[in-house]
Amino acid sequence: MKELIRTNDMVLISYLEHRLREEAIEPLTLDGHMSVLEGSLGVLQRRIMVAEDDYDRARGVLDGVKQERDRQA
């Protein structure tokens, strides 16, 4: 597994997971339970991991999601 992104932006996490699954890439989100334990202060970031074989395609999906977000801002 390889880390794709580390963030505490729940909207980004949810949308990115959705987009990755549309591309047949199964993400693994880590540290979600730790974020709950710390009281949802946003201090601990969650990590989205993907299989090393899927990393390059996943990086392309992430770049596309970031571009979409920037256009909407």
Side-chain angles (χ1 to χ4, degrees), residues 4 11 14 18 27 38 55-56 68 73:
L4 180 63
V11 174
S14 177
H18 167 74
E38 56 95 11
Y55 181 79
D56 291 334
E68 287 177 36

Side-chain angles (χ1 to χ4, degrees), residues 4-35:
L4 180 63
I5 190 171
R6 185 181 299 231
T7 183
N8 53 10
D9 182 341
M10 292 305 300
V11 174
L12 175 60
I13 289 171
S14 177
Y15 186 59
L16 181 56
E17 288 173 334
H18 167 74
R19 291 288 293 119
L20 288 169
R21 287 187 178 110
E22 282 186 332
E23 298 297 324
I25 300 170
E26 188 58 39
L28 174 63
T29 303
L30 300 178
D31 303 322
H33 296 293
M34 292 305 295
S35 297

Side-chain angles (χ1 to χ4, degrees), residues 35-66:
S35 297
V36 170
L37 287 175
E38 56 95 11
S40 299
L41 297 173
V43 176
L44 296 177
Q45 297 181 331
R46 295 178 189 207
R47 295 174 289 158
I48 295 183
M49 310 291 286
V50 295
E52 288 190 39
D53 293 343
D54 293 330
Y55 181 79
D56 291 334
R57 284 189 315 124
R59 188 70 205 177
V61 172
L62 174 60
D63 291 343
V65 166
K66 286 181 175 180

